[in-house]
Amino acid sequence: MAAAADRIIKRVRGKGRGWAFTPKDFLDLGTRASVDMALSRLAQQGHIRRIGRGLYDYPKLHAKLGALTPDTDTIAKAVANQSGDKISTSGAQAANLMGISNQVPARASYATSGPTRIKKVAGRTIALKRSRAPILDNDTPGANAVLQLLSHLGKAKIDDDLIQRCAGLLDDHDLRALRKAQAVMPGWMSDAVFKISMAHHG
């Protein structure tokens, strides 16, 4: 148990303050029961903080305010990891970030491969909405933002200006991921990805 706790706290410190995590992040270090027990003990000792059921963080510290609440992106990733779902920026947030819409979503919202649900963690409310577009791996945030944006705006809103904007958002890695996923997209979305690809290389 002590050995598992030592290995866990080493990994937590390696990730740095601000990281939120679940027991799943440590299953290579011991059995689920020993990991749960170690996390529980580390939280009791004040090394880490329990922020929800099966959710912990290594909080950032402020000189006057003490331990800070984790940001919504960090919480959303941990919640998705807990349920084994993929997660992405929502289409509404992508539209806002790209200056296509001035509507700021009322609460932090994310697209997920899992069920639609609202989670309240560490005083923050996070809306997870089942995605109509495929969600790619986490190392392609630009590609996921583009897919969610296309899904959010819909076929009728795809014009040359949008294609150019999307192309500017992507690097080659994102683009390769999008091309690979064309087979699992609706036809109109696959066509938009083809045009984005041509604009990117053009």
Side-chain angles (χ1 to χ4, degrees):
M1 167 39 223
D6 287 345
R7 289 197 294 269
I8 286 170
I9 200 66
K10 204 171 176 184
R11 181 169 295 173
V12 167
R13 287 186 177 133
K15 291 279 189 180
R17 289 198 173 273
W19 188 44
F21 47 90
T22 78
K24 281 188 176 180
D25 289 294
F26 309 100
L27 293 181
D28 58 321
L29 302 181
T31 62
R32 178 63 195 252
S34 69
V35 167
D36 280 344
M37 210 183 291
L39 287 170
S40 181
R41 187 160 300 177
L42 287 166
Q44 280 167 5
Q45 292 167 350
H47 297 298
I48 60 175
R49 176 174 60 176
R50 187 175 183 268
I51 54 172
R53 193 172 168 182
L55 290 166
Y56 300 85
D57 81 332
Y58 185 43
K60 284 185 177 171
L61 299 175
H62 185 279
K64 290 198 175 76
L65 305 172
L68 300 176
T69 305
D71 66 46
T72 50
D73 283 0
T74 304
I75 293 172
K77 277 180 194 146
V79 166
N81 182 30
Q82 190 178 42
S83 55
D85 299 324
K86 289 182 178 172
I87 196 168
S88 166
T89 303
S90 72
Q93 281 185 321
N96 191 251
L97 290 170
M98 287 173 72
I100 293 164
S101 156
N102 298 325
Q103 259 189 318
V104 181
R107 58 162 67 109
S109 62
Y110 298 85
T112 176
S113 58
T116 295
R117 60 207 191 277
I118 303 274
K119 290 287 280 187
K120 285 194 163 96
V121 178
R124 295 196 187 275
T125 302
I126 293 168
L128 296 160
K129 192 172 177 205
R130 186 166 182 83
S131 174
R132 287 182 304 198
I135 297 182
L136 313 181
D137 290 329
N138 290 335
D139 64 343
T140 51
N144 276 320
V146 162
L147 284 179
Q148 293 306 322
L149 181 68
L150 294 175
S151 177
H152 174 68
L153 295 175
K155 184 179 179 180
K157 296 260 180 74
I158 313 298
D159 58 17
D160 289 343
D161 176 52
L162 184 74
I163 295 293
Q164 293 294 341
R165 282 195 200 209
C166 289
L169 194 71
L170 301 172
D171 61 21
D172 288 342
H173 177 60
D174 282 320
L175 209 58
R176 277 196 300 275
L178 279 176
R179 294 297 298 261
K180 226 175 177 174
Q182 277 181 282
V184 292
M185 294 175 202
W188 68 268
M189 202 178 273
S190 173
D191 289 351
V193 166
F194 176 75
K195 286 179 185 165
I196 290 166
S197 173
M198 299 315 278
H200 182 82
H201 292 307

PDB file of all heavy atoms in Angstrom, residues 1-8:
ATOM      1  N   MET A   1       0.838  -1.196   0.000  1.00  0.00           N
ATOM      2  CA  MET A   1       0.000   0.000   0.000  1.00  0.00           C
ATOM      3  C   MET A   1       0.883   1.259   0.000  1.00  0.00           C
ATOM      4  O   MET A   1       0.700   2.165  -0.802  1.00  0.00           O
ATOM      5  CB  MET A   1      -0.926  -0.104   1.212  1.00  0.00           C
ATOM      6  CG  MET A   1      -1.721   1.074   1.673  1.00  0.00           C
ATOM      7  SD  MET A   1      -2.467   2.161   0.532  1.00  0.00           S
ATOM      8  CE  MET A   1      -2.024   3.661   1.353  1.00  0.00           C
ATOM      9  N   ALA A   2       1.889   1.282   0.903  1.00  0.00           N
ATOM     10  CA  ALA A   2       2.784   2.446   0.978  1.00  0.00           C
ATOM     11  C   ALA A   2       3.537   2.617  -0.333  1.00  0.00           C
ATOM     12  O   ALA A   2       3.710   3.728  -0.823  1.00  0.00           O
ATOM     13  CB  ALA A   2       3.759   2.279   2.143  1.00  0.00           C
ATOM     14  N   ALA A   3       3.951   1.480  -0.913  1.00  0.00           N
ATOM     15  CA  ALA A   3       4.694   1.537  -2.181  1.00  0.00           C
ATOM     16  C   ALA A   3       3.814   2.119  -3.285  1.00  0.00           C
ATOM     17  O   ALA A   3       4.264   2.953  -4.075  1.00  0.00           O
ATOM     18  CB  ALA A   3       5.169   0.147  -2.564  1.00  0.00           C
ATOM     19  N   ALA A   4       2.545   1.702  -3.336  1.00  0.00           N
ATOM     20  CA  ALA A   4       1.616   2.222  -4.351  1.00  0.00           C
ATOM     21  C   ALA A   4       1.430   3.724  -4.147  1.00  0.00           C
ATOM     22  O   ALA A   4       1.456   4.501  -5.110  1.00  0.00           O
ATOM     23  CB  ALA A   4       0.267   1.505  -4.255  1.00  0.00           C
ATOM     24  N   ALA A   5       1.267   4.148  -2.897  1.00  0.00           N
ATOM     25  CA  ALA A   5       1.067   5.577  -2.607  1.00  0.00           C
ATOM     26  C   ALA A   5       2.285   6.391  -3.038  1.00  0.00           C
ATOM     27  O   ALA A   5       2.148   7.479  -3.605  1.00  0.00           O
ATOM     28  CB  ALA A   5       0.790   5.782  -1.115  1.00  0.00           C
ATOM     29  N   ASP A   6       3.479   5.850  -2.790  1.00  0.00           N
ATOM     30  CA  ASP A   6       4.719   6.553  -3.188  1.00  0.00           C
ATOM     31  C   ASP A   6       4.776   6.736  -4.697  1.00  0.00           C
ATOM     32  O   ASP A   6       5.125   7.801  -5.195  1.00  0.00           O
ATOM     33  CB  ASP A   6       5.961   5.758  -2.738  1.00  0.00           C
ATOM     34  CG  ASP A   6       6.180   5.851  -1.233  1.00  0.00           C
ATOM     35  OD1 ASP A   6       5.561   6.736  -0.604  1.00  0.00           O
ATOM     36  OD2 ASP A   6       6.952   5.040  -0.688  1.00  0.00           O
ATOM     37  N   ARG A   7       4.429   5.664  -5.405  1.00  0.00           N
ATOM     38  CA  ARG A   7       4.496   5.724  -6.879  1.00  0.00           C
ATOM     39  C   ARG A   7       3.428   6.683  -7.425  1.00  0.00           C
ATOM     40  O   ARG A   7       3.657   7.408  -8.380  1.00  0.00           O
ATOM     41  CB  ARG A   7       4.339   4.326  -7.480  1.00  0.00           C
ATOM     42  CG  ARG A   7       5.570   3.437  -7.241  1.00  0.00           C
ATOM     43  CD  ARG A   7       5.593   2.247  -8.163  1.00  0.00           C
ATOM     44  NE  ARG A   7       4.503   1.309  -7.903  1.00  0.00           N
ATOM     45  CZ  ARG A   7       4.590   0.268  -7.072  1.00  0.00           C
ATOM     46  NH1 ARG A   7       5.706   0.020  -6.433  1.00  0.00           N
ATOM     47  NH2 ARG A   7       3.561  -0.538  -6.905  1.00  0.00           N
ATOM     48  N   ILE A   8       2.252   6.660  -6.777  1.00  0.00           N
ATOM     49  CA  ILE A   8       1.155   7.534  -7.212  1.00  0.00           C
ATOM     50  C   ILE A   8       1.535   9.001  -7.012  1.00  0.00           C
ATOM     51  O   ILE A   8       1.392   9.818  -7.919  1.00  0.00           O
ATOM     52  CB  ILE A   8      -0.155   7.195  -6.462  1.00  0.00           C
ATOM     53  CG1 ILE A   8      -0.738   5.879  -7.007  1.00  0.00           C
ATOM     54  CG2 ILE A   8      -1.181   8.325  -6.597  1.00  0.00           C
ATOM     55  CD1 ILE A   8      -1.883   5.314  -6.186  1.00  0.00           C
TER      56      ILE A   8
END
